[in-house]
């Protein structure tokens, strides 16, 4: 359980987007943190290694945006998303995962996630997704969105309800 505070930036009067990273692989968290530090408008304020810890850290830090892994110990990302948004509805959650399975997309969106992005996306797409979701614009990676829409439009699909 680590906390990160950004230094003051005298050049920028713009409010930073406070982000919490929820990822059970420490090396992946380091990579995400490093990619996000390249921006002036995003600050990583907290990190969690499992879903239960994510709930506690969200309650303590009240992040604007949460990057949430799906498969984690103690509590998965979908369950953590649901609980965090119950307690802190202003948070915006982006599911960030290696899994592009339709059921994860549906479950994540139903839990309240506003974004869904694969971990193999370029850093620039991750940064832009954070900005878009923070601004209130839902975003699902286009490759996933197209396949998901095709599935929902398929006759007899039971994923719509």
């Amino acid at each position: 359980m680590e906390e990160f505070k950004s230094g003051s930036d005298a050049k920028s009067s713009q409010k930073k987007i406070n982000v919490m990273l929820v990822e059970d692989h420490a090396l992946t968290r380091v990579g995400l943190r490093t990619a996000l530090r390249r921006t002036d408008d995003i600050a990583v304020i907290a990190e969690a290694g499992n879903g239960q810890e994510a709930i506690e850290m969200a309650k303590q830090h009240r992040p604007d945006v949460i990057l949430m892994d799906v498969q984690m110990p103690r509590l998965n990302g979908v369950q953590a998303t649901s609980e965090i948004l119950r307690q802190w509805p202003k948070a915006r959650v982006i599911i960030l995962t290696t899994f592009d399975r339709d059921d994860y997309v549906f479950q994540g969106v139903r839990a309240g996630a506003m974004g869904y992005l694969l971990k193999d996306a370029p850093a620039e797409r991750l940064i832009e997704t954070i900005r878009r979701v923070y601004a209130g614009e839902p975003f699902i990676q286009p490759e996933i969105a197209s396949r998901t829409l095709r599935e929902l439009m398929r006759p007899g699909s039971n994923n719509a309800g």
Side-chain angles (χ1 to χ4, degrees):
M1 188 160 53
E2 299 178 50
E3 178 180 344
F4 301 91
K5 300 206 187 300
S6 62
S8 63
D9 183 0
K11 297 185 298 186
S12 176
S13 61
Q14 172 182 357
K15 180 195 179 307
K16 288 191 180 245
I17 302 168
N18 291 321
V19 173
M20 181 171 80
L21 305 177
V22 183
E23 166 63 54
D24 60 327
H25 293 101
L27 190 55
T28 302
R29 280 197 316 268
V30 169
L32 290 169
R33 185 179 344 117
T34 300
L36 296 178
R37 280 190 176 155
R38 298 186 313 176
T39 68
D40 291 333
D41 62 332
I42 297 173
V44 176
I45 61 165
E47 297 183 11
N50 63 61
Q52 189 60 48
E53 189 177 18
I55 294 168
E56 296 163 14
M57 296 298 282
K59 189 183 299 186
Q60 181 180 353
H61 295 281
R62 300 295 193 201
D64 299 315
V65 175
I66 300 167
L67 296 180
M68 180 74 71
D69 189 15
V70 173
Q71 291 201 346
M72 295 181 293
R74 296 189 65 196
L75 195 64
N76 73 42
V78 172
Q79 295 166 320
T81 294
S82 182
E83 182 59 24
I84 288 168
L85 292 175
R86 188 185 68 72
Q87 294 181 24
W88 179 240
K90 291 183 179 182
R92 308 229 194 263
V93 176
I94 299 168
I95 301 289
L96 185 64
T97 184
T98 57
F99 302 100
D100 65 351
R101 293 180 18 194
D102 291 335
D103 57 331
Y104 284 148
V105 177
F106 298 134
Q107 290 171 19
V109 170
R110 284 189 183 123
M114 287 188 64
Y116 199 99
L117 194 63
L118 295 177
K119 289 179 183 175
D120 66 356
E124 295 75 23
R125 181 176 272 179
L126 171 64
I127 291 164
E128 184 59 30
T129 300
I130 290 169
R131 290 175 179 147
R132 290 170 76 168
V133 167
Y134 174 72
E137 180 183 340
F139 179 81
I140 296 177
Q141 189 167 336
E143 301 83 357
I144 298 170
S146 296
R147 197 184 68 240
T148 301
L149 284 172
R150 282 193 299 276
E151 175 63 24
L152 287 172
M153 293 167 53
R154 185 174 53 87
S157 170
N158 64 354
N159 290 314

